[in-house]
Amino acid sequence: YKRQVTIKAQVVDRYAATGLQLLAYNECDELRNDPMLTQRANEAMLDFLKGKRPTWSVFFFNDESRIPFTSSVIKCLIERDLVSKLVKNVQHTATMTDKCMKTIPINHLPGTGATTIAMHVLWKLRKEFRCVVMNGNSPTIPDLKEVAEKLLGLRGLQEDDATVNGTSTKVCKPILLLMDDFSYDQARMLQKKFQDLISDRKINFEKTVGIILCVTE
């Protein structure tokens, strides 16, 4: 049993201060009520086609079957084969029992769309995982120990102590973190700090607690 929780704005801001952008399971749903919905969709798609980094709204608007557009919307997002492969890899990794956190590198050449692919994976898995993005282009260097603590806090958000500590029949949703423009070594350092916290706090786990998707710089 894994439940979905509503995250308050101040909690989102607190994570943002550490360089972490949360992806909610109902991300962008408020746009359904926007009277300028179709225009905003076309603007977001055009920005993406011009080479801007995608916003979550691009993925939201791409799911046209559930959105009440008043006219046709520009198509700009093609799902790459790698997206479904990574989704399956992440889902399989979440069932493994040998380590509490795993790192999956996505090696790429600049400009080949690896960030978009990784974001697409998070978008597809946002209801199964607690998804977070950390951008290596941030002006401040993140404190990886603080990031690990924030991730562990996100895992246990609105869960009772027994669930957090792994002594309940309920389990927390695993964390899925996209580290964009970081080195593989940085991802492994964060992985170790997260694993050390799990060990220090004597948290029991039967399956993977967190997964890092690392788009290498």
Side-chain angles (χ1 to χ4, degrees):
Y1 172 72
K2 299 172 185 176
R3 68 194 185 109
Q4 293 170 339
V5 299
T6 302
I7 301 175
K8 296 179 180 177
Q10 58 264 40
V11 175
V12 173
D13 292 343
R14 199 161 65 237
Y15 279 88
T18 320
L20 296 171
Q21 178 197 0
L22 304 184
L23 169 60
Y25 73 92
N26 60 343
E27 191 77 33
C28 298
D29 268 5
E30 73 283 354
L31 293 174
R32 293 180 192 281
N33 301 319
D34 191 327
M36 305 289 288
L37 175 70
T38 305
Q39 180 183 330
R40 294 198 194 288
N42 280 318
E43 287 171 355
M45 298 303 195
L46 277 172
D47 282 345
F48 179 62
L49 286 171
K50 290 174 183 175
K52 289 188 179 179
R53 179 189 174 96
T55 59
W56 293 122
S57 64
V58 168
F59 302 96
F60 175 77
F61 290 135
N62 195 62
D63 193 4
E64 192 173 337
S65 61
R66 299 184 298 113
I67 302 173
F69 292 126
T70 54
S71 60
S72 60
V73 167
I74 298 165
K75 284 286 190 183
C76 72
L77 187 65
I78 298 170
E79 183 173 329
R80 310 277 190 86
D81 291 342
L82 186 54
V83 172
S84 59
K85 288 177 183 176
L86 282 168
V87 165
K88 288 175 183 174
N89 189 358
V90 169
Q91 288 172 325
H92 171 69
T93 301
T95 67
M96 298 175 75
T97 58
D98 60 327
K99 193 177 288 186
C100 73
M101 180 169 259
K102 299 275 187 178
T103 298
I104 301 173
I106 305 176
N107 301 308
H108 73 109
L109 295 171
T112 56
T115 295
T116 302
I117 287 169
M119 289 178 70
H120 208 159
V121 172
L122 262 68
W123 181 260
K124 284 181 166 292
L125 292 172
R126 69 193 186 283
K127 294 182 180 179
E128 299 173 45
F129 293 78
R130 293 196 175 174
C131 295
V132 200
V133 178
M134 187 162 69
N135 193 330
N137 292 323
S138 171
T140 56
I141 300 171
D143 180 330
L144 295 183
K145 186 172 187 299
E146 185 182 358
V147 170
E149 288 171 346
K150 282 281 195 297
L151 292 175
L152 197 56
L154 178 63
R155 171 183 174 268
L157 197 66
Q158 297 182 29
E159 302 285 3
D160 58 56
D161 289 346
T163 304
V164 171
N165 294 327
T167 56
S168 167
T169 53
K170 295 191 295 180
V171 292
C172 296
K173 282 187 176 183
I175 294 293
L176 180 56
L177 169 67
L178 166 57
M179 291 183 72
D180 191 17
D181 277 332
F182 284 89
S183 68
Y184 184 61
D185 286 344
Q186 287 173 304
R188 290 301 300 270
M189 284 169 60
L190 177 57
Q191 176 182 331
K192 184 177 186 311
K193 290 187 183 299
F194 186 87
Q195 289 173 171
D196 288 347
L197 280 178
I198 293 283
S199 177
D200 291 347
R201 297 183 188 181
K202 297 180 171 57
I203 294 173
N204 298 318
F205 63 93
E206 291 183 1
K207 295 178 181 177
T208 302
V209 175
I211 297 170
I212 298 173
L213 273 183
C214 179
V215 176
T216 51
E217 57 187 347

